[in-house]
Amino acid sequence: MNTEVVILAAGKGSRMKSTKAKVLHPLAGKSLLSYVVDNATDLNADVHIVVGHQADQVKDAFANQNIQFVEQQQQNGTGHAVAQCLDALKQDSKVLILYGDVPLCKKQTMQKLLDLVDDDHMGLLTVTLDDATGYGRIVRNDNNCVIAIVEQKDASESELLIKEANTGIMAVTSAQLRSWLPKLNNQNAQGEYYLTDIIALAVSEGVSVDTIEPATVEETMGINDKLQLAYLERWQQTQLTNELMRQGATLFDPSRVDIRGEVSVGQDVEIDVNVIFNGIVNIGNNVSIGANCILTDVDIKDGTIIEPNCVLHDAKIGEQCIVGPFARIRPGTELSNKAKIGNFVETKKAKIGEGSKVNHLSYIGDCEMGAGANVGAGTITCNYDGVNKFKTLIGDGAFVGSNSTLIAPVKIEEGAFIGAGSVISKDAPKDQLTLARTKQRSISSWQKPAKKS
Ligand code: UD1
Ligand code: CA
């Protein structure tokens, strides 16, 4: 049987107090709904998302993915929500029901539920809680078979004592949904069509309701407000930093490293406190990342040191480089091995050749630099005339004196020397000293200004 996933995401999420749809809020850098969609995709399932409140926002966020959106105009309950998908579901498939605001259910758990399903069995994910207040309760008979789910608001006093709670996540066949959903009614405390009522219908038709529990309760936690979001964020961060330490990284304080994406590390990598990783970050062996660095989509090769307080984005850093402290490495920067970028240096679309140094207070943009070049403090590439961008080329072994202004397009040839403070607007020839500044002179007849009476 094919696998299909129905994700409920029509609810209002008013407790988030946000104009952003609840399921689009990020957890460890990825939207809540993306977690669910990515798992569904990994299960090779057709994905149907039930949208209602802020439907356009949700649809726009997933516009380029192969997802079928189904609108639920009025939120008349979880059973009503799933029923909106009946026309879209295949004739004979297994259907897994998930929630856009329950991000951390593992795909292994989902697969186990799906494996339970056939014409005579459905799968239900339950969780045993010390305090199940608010949840639907799992009602079992004397043989320990599930016979119904009763919602908190409809439960009797004895039912309220049940600690086994409904997570809402379940797997059934599309044929079963077609048969049961039209039979639901809204004669209950909330006047809603409860999806949970299909359990009693299943039992009445001799379909066995088989349950599993997840490894951790966090897998089943839904997010309704910012406190729950913060709780799951921290929990997920712990999972991610644990994984990084299992890969061999030394984290001086794992609670002060945040991973909002995917990080891989080689051996003997040290990561100091207050480091944030975004996107995809690959780090080789023997790399050290100083305190307060933010790394987004970067690749760092063996033996490199990123000193404290650096911001790197979309860059490739070679072996045995030194970056920072206080460097800003912007998109398109590529450092060859042993290059050095020092404090208060900004680079953008800059290729820095092997062993070249830009040690202090520079802006290097749209630049190709050869090997062994030395760019003095305060040097600026003027890459932009207000309309167009131009390139600066700096050859192997060139030496650019401090506070030079390189007006692109311009080429500093191999071995060229530029005198400090020069404004270079024409190419500087190979192995020559080029100076472009007024000559120093002293005026002996000069008089100090005197105060006017
Ligand atoms: C539901 C379950 C309850 C379970 C709990 C777990 C029912 C009747 N109850 O209760 O047994 O313990 O989840 O959290 O299913 N939604 C829609 N359209 C609707 C109604 C809801 O898309 O018309 C979506 C919501 O956006 C939300 C999810 O379904 O993501 C759950 O709805 P909610 O109203 O929060 O259900 P609970 O009352 O928590
Ligand atoms: Ca809920």
Side-chain angles (χ1 to χ4, degrees), residues 8-12 22 50 72 74-81 99-102 134-137 149-151 165-168 190 192-196 220 224:
L8 303 194
K12 194 164 181 203
K22 173 163 80 170
V50 181
Q72 185 193 23
Q74 281 197 315
Q75 281 67 59
N76 294 333
T78 49
H80 179 257
Y99 300 81
D101 57 1
V102 180
Y135 286 85
R137 305 299 207 286
I149 296 177
V150 52
E151 290 303 297
N166 174 34
T167 66
Q190 302 183 78
E192 288 182 0
Y193 294 88
Y194 291 162
L195 177 64
T196 45
T220 69
N224 296 305

Side-chain angles (χ1 to χ4, degrees), residues 17-95:
K17 303 272 165 66
S18 172
T19 54
K20 190 194 288 215
K22 173 163 80 170
V23 295
L24 298 183
H25 282 264
L27 179 83
K30 181 163 128 172
S31 78
L32 302 180
L33 185 52
S34 288
Y35 284 87
V36 189
V37 168
D38 288 355
N39 276 335
T41 308
D42 285 350
L43 292 169
N44 277 323
D46 288 358
V47 181
H48 310 272
I49 303 182
V50 181
V51 287
H53 283 282
Q54 293 156 306
D56 290 339
Q57 257 189 47
V58 179
K59 286 195 217 167
D60 287 351
F62 291 84
N64 49 11
Q65 296 194 37
N66 188 18
I67 288 172
Q68 185 162 28
F69 290 95
V70 182
E71 298 242 7
Q72 185 193 23
Q73 303 293 350
Q74 281 197 315
Q75 281 67 59
N76 294 333
T78 49
H80 179 257
V82 177
Q84 308 309 303
C85 295
L86 282 181
D87 287 343
L89 291 174
K90 292 201 170 69
Q91 216 43 42
D92 194 20
S93 60
K94 292 186 185 185
V95 182

